[in-house]
Amino acid sequence: MSDHDAQLLRALHDEHAEALYAHALRLVNGDRQRAEDLVQETLLRAWRHPESLDPTRGSVRSWLFTTARNLAIDAWRRRSTRVGEVFTDDLPEPPEAIDEAERAVEAWTVAEALNRLSPTHREVLVECFYQGRSVAEAASRLGVPPGTVKSRTHYALRSLRLVLAEMGVTG
């Protein structure tokens, strides 16, 4: 950046930054950090495109305010398209510690419940849930049509729910 450019940018800042910051604060609903970022990006755009600041093309302040508004709209659009983005000052809750003993008891309970199912129900659940096979893959391995795998899975899950309830497992 030449000395001339630096002087022009400093003059632009001195003359318009305060009003631009107030405008940016309104655009971002009082978020000071975002308003400062908006002013900085607006002045950076002015420095990169000095031809836009030609007084014969219109008011410099008007160009700055319009650019800041457009940048705020663009930022809002980017944030609104992000799925699940949450703005908060609170830290997230730490994940619960995994209790290995509880996990072992749950695994034992599920294994016991599976043993109480009929062999056809047990094998379809093992293929689909424990082996991670698709309906078509499970059907091929079990030698039955895909529709049979679907219905057996439905009835096997129902039976498993009943067995777990008989064992005192709730939820």
Side-chain angles (χ1 to χ4, degrees), residues 91-99:
L91 294 175
E93 293 293 322
E96 291 183 26
I98 298 172
D99 184 359

Side-chain angles (χ1 to χ4, degrees), residues 110-131 142 152-153 155-157 159-160:
V110 171
E112 178 63 29
L114 282 171
N115 283 331
R116 294 184 186 184
L117 296 179
S118 70
T120 55
H121 284 165
R122 183 174 42 256
E123 68 185 2
V124 78
L125 290 180
V126 168
E127 288 296 320
C128 291
F129 291 97
Y130 288 97
Q131 299 298 324
L142 297 173
R152 280 187 189 171
T153 302
Y155 289 111
L157 288 173
S159 296
L160 184 62

Side-chain angles (χ1 to χ4, degrees), residues 32 38-39 65-66 70 72 78 95 110 120 127 130 132 138 142 144 152 160 166 169:
R32 293 180 182 278
L38 202 55
V39 169
F65 277 40
T66 301
N70 291 339
R78 277 192 307 276
V110 171
T120 55
E127 288 296 320
Y130 288 97
L142 297 173
V144 296
R152 280 187 189 171
L160 184 62
E166 288 171 1
V169 175

Side-chain angles (χ1 to χ4, degrees), residues 8 15 30 37 39 44 51 64 102 116 129 134 138 142 159-160 168 171:
L8 286 175
E15 187 174 342
D37 291 344
V39 169
L44 183 63
E51 70 280 359
L64 291 170
E102 186 174 320
R116 294 184 186 184
F129 291 97
S134 68
L142 297 173
S159 296
L160 184 62

